[in-house]
Amino acid sequence: MAKIFDVDFRTGNLTDSVSGVLGVNTNCTFERTRKGLMLLSKKATGDSLSFATTAGGLSGDVTFVIHANAKSTESSGSRIFYNDKIMVYIYNSLGRVIVSSDNGVTEAYTDPALKAFPFNMFHLLVVTRTSTGLVTIYVDNVNLTVITTSGTPAAGGNIYIGNRAAGNRAWDGFIGKVAIYNHIFTEQERANAYKDFLNSYPQSKEKYPNIINKPMDLNREKENGLVAAYNFIPNGTVLTDISGNG
């Protein structure tokens, strides 16, 4: 039981740490947050990160561990992972998670009426898929699967993150990590993955307003040599020295 594919964008790395293959980046960018770097795809046609590796074809038991934040979806669903056979993607405004082992012929998914993957928030997505095609989908460590059959697994081709090979199902949002293991995660392994996720990301994108608040008391700063202080929060048309020095 081992990790067979692993790209951690939080470090600014585009290399699969298992195979050593460097991903080919097409139009994706990095954006820094307080919790680290994240790969940003803007849902433009062609946006993707492709890897010239099959990770063994992924026809046996596998577990996907994905950190992601979706802003919206394509009308036909935005792909997080694709290898010509396995597809993991988010569909419609409710954020339904769909997994297929036969390139969309058969699909396992979360409840169509449930907001399984709410937009503009980071989520941990864990997908387990057996060698017979049975899928379980966990969002933030909660099993939300209603349909478990995903088709007959078969060896796939090169790996794409954030799109499919044709380039017309681009992800819109952030992806922090994509890892694949060659076994079905236990309950403890899922709990550990969720703990790692919670220690890595805020629940929503952090804002950094360029505002300096007026201190409650400037006397100490005066003692340290403060000459003047200005509060740049808009307040009329006059900028006033709030230090009391004139």
Side-chain angles (χ1 to χ4, degrees), residues 50-238:
S50 60
F51 294 84
T53 177
T54 65
L58 307 181
S59 59
D61 290 351
V62 291
T63 296
F64 291 81
V65 176
I66 299 170
H67 298 189
N69 177 330
K71 297 180 179 181
S72 66
T73 65
E74 291 278 359
S75 59
S76 297
S78 294
R79 274 48 173 176
I80 304 176
F81 179 91
Y82 179 85
N83 78 338
D84 195 44
K85 293 296 181 183
I86 301 178
M87 296 190 300
V88 180
Y89 66 101
I90 309 300
Y91 177 76
N92 76 18
S93 60
L94 291 179
R96 176 157 49 123
V97 182
I98 299 177
V99 180
S100 176
S101 294
D102 54 14
N103 202 22
V105 176
T106 312
E107 295 179 331
Y109 49 83
T110 57
D111 188 342
L114 180 69
K115 287 187 176 181
F117 204 93
F119 295 156
N120 297 306
M121 294 182 67
F122 290 104
H123 300 284
L124 172 69
L125 176 61
V126 173
V127 174
T128 64
R129 205 267 344 253
T130 69
S131 59
T132 60
L134 294 180
V135 164
T136 307
I137 302 167
Y138 302 89
V139 179
D140 298 330
N141 210 24
V142 178
N143 182 357
L144 300 179
T145 322
V146 293
I147 299 296
T148 61
T149 53
S150 69
T152 302
N158 288 345
I159 289 174
Y160 289 80
I161 304 297
N163 213 327
R164 64 179 184 178
N168 58 347
R169 296 290 184 270
W171 183 256
D172 180 23
F174 298 102
I175 302 175
K177 175 183 177 70
V178 178
I180 309 172
Y181 298 77
N182 65 353
H183 67 282
I184 303 300
F185 263 24
T186 64
E187 182 178 355
Q188 185 59 56
E189 286 175 309
R190 294 198 311 273
N192 290 342
Y194 191 48
K195 182 179 180 180
D196 173 62
F197 165 76
L198 291 177
N199 288 335
S200 298
Y201 290 130
Q203 291 299 299
S204 60
K205 185 179 177 184
E206 299 251 340
K207 303 295 184 182
Y208 298 94
N210 187 25
I211 292 175
I212 301 176
N213 292 318
K214 175 183 176 181
M216 295 298 294
D217 186 356
L218 292 174
N219 288 332
R220 178 176 299 178
E221 299 304 323
K222 288 182 183 179
E223 293 172 359
N224 292 331
L226 177 71
V227 175
Y230 298 92
N231 191 335
F232 287 89
I233 299 175
N235 184 17
T237 59
V238 178

